[in-house]
Amino acid sequence: MSFSKKIFFAAAAAAVVCTGLFAQEQKVEKKSDSSSNKKSETSVENEYLNDMDGTVIITLAQSDEYDNKLVALQYLETAVENGNKSEDVIAALDQLAGEGINTQTRKNGRLMNNFPDIRRQACLLLGKVGGEHSKNTLKNIAVADNEPMVQAAAIKSLGDLGINENDEVTEAIAYANLRNRVLNPTSSMAFEVLNAFEKLAGNTQNKKAMIDEISYIAADNHYNQAVRKHALDILKNMKSDNSDSSNTKKAASAPAQ
């Protein structure tokens, strides 16, 4: 092969390599730009949702339209996930948690704003907000609501919060379960009752109401087998804990040999 041909092929090979590198760089740049644009759009959206005027959210929550309440919940969920626990956020969640119960809109005697799924989601978000005010709202909903799915959500959030001063929360949960098992025993709600009792047992001074309801759930065939077994396991653990505590106290009070 002549010298000139060698130069020609070397130049062609270099051109191919350069073209490949250029195309690769273009892809990397496009990918980087796309990623940064997505991050930018996401951060802008989150910032907008988090900083949205509280008056607008409350107005949406108070609307008679179901779709407006759903939009309000979406804003509120984003706000709570971003750590926004402002008074406006809590007020809007209070409104939605009591929708159709604390606040009622009627037309020709018919309740128009009974939206259990809205109340349920608001109760779950209040559990994430936390605090004394959320506890009081959730306790009232657990006792006053007539939908097991809403009561279950309120009770779950109460268990997650872990606040039980003077046994007020465990007694409210016990009352809610008593009313439910008499009128409409529901396994899904009983399951959340058991979980909440298990979480709050350490903060409960008088466990009588708690143990009574757990015992009823364990023995009632209206509940499915898994729920009844869960109730029995909790009772056994409580008995074991009480026995350990009693033995510790006896050992501490025994005279030294």
Side-chain angles (χ1 to χ4, degrees), residues 80-154:
V80 171
E81 291 295 336
N82 289 341
N84 185 341
K85 301 177 182 179
S86 66
E87 291 182 3
D88 288 335
V89 166
I90 295 172
L93 286 173
D94 281 352
Q95 169 71 32
L96 294 172
E99 187 68 34
I101 300 297
N102 297 336
T103 57
Q104 297 186 347
T105 301
R106 293 185 179 274
K107 186 176 181 180
N108 297 326
R110 180 185 174 188
L111 183 62
M112 302 300 293
N113 63 330
N114 184 27
F115 306 132
D117 56 326
I118 296 289
R119 300 200 298 273
R120 175 184 177 276
Q121 186 61 26
C123 286
L124 294 175
L125 288 176
L126 280 170
K128 294 180 180 180
V129 169
E132 191 74 14
H133 182 89
S134 293
K135 181 263 296 179
N136 289 333
T137 299
L138 291 165
K139 185 181 69 171
N140 293 336
I141 295 299
V143 170
D145 208 291
N146 51 15
E147 288 285 348
M149 64 182 285
V150 180
Q151 290 177 289

Side-chain angles (χ1 to χ4, degrees), residues 4-19:
S4 59
K5 286 185 177 180
K6 287 182 181 180
I7 293 176
F8 172 78
F9 283 119
V16 170
V17 171
C18 289
T19 302

Side-chain angles (χ1 to χ4, degrees), residues 132-183:
E132 191 74 14
H133 182 89
S134 293
K135 181 263 296 179
N136 289 333
T137 299
L138 291 165
K139 185 181 69 171
N140 293 336
I141 295 299
V143 170
D145 208 291
N146 51 15
E147 288 285 348
M149 64 182 285
V150 180
Q151 290 177 289
I155 289 166
K156 178 187 184 306
S157 290
L158 286 170
D160 292 341
L161 290 179
I163 304 172
N164 187 35
E165 189 175 353
N166 298 321
D167 299 343
E168 60 172 342
V169 170
T170 47
E171 288 180 4
I173 293 173
Y175 175 79
N177 188 71
L178 167 62
R179 188 164 70 95
N180 179 265
R181 66 181 170 81
V182 170
L183 299 175

Side-chain angles (χ1 to χ4, degrees), residues 29-100:
E29 286 179 5
K30 285 181 180 178
K31 196 171 184 180
S32 176
D33 290 343
S34 174
S35 176
S36 63
N37 285 339
K38 284 182 180 178
K39 287 181 181 178
S40 177
E41 288 172 5
T42 302
S43 61
V44 167
E45 182 183 2
N46 286 341
E47 184 178 349
Y48 172 72
L49 292 174
N50 201 37
D51 295 338
M52 186 177 180
D53 193 304
T55 305
V56 176
I57 297 179
I58 292 174
T59 301
L60 288 170
Q62 291 174 339
S63 168
D64 291 335
E65 297 296 325
Y66 176 82
D67 286 347
N68 287 343
K69 296 181 187 299
L70 277 181
V71 172
L73 275 175
Q74 291 171 355
Y75 285 133
L76 290 164
E77 184 174 8
T78 301
V80 171
E81 291 295 336
N82 289 341
N84 185 341
K85 301 177 182 179
S86 66
E87 291 182 3
D88 288 335
V89 166
I90 295 172
L93 286 173
D94 281 352
Q95 169 71 32
L96 294 172
E99 187 68 34

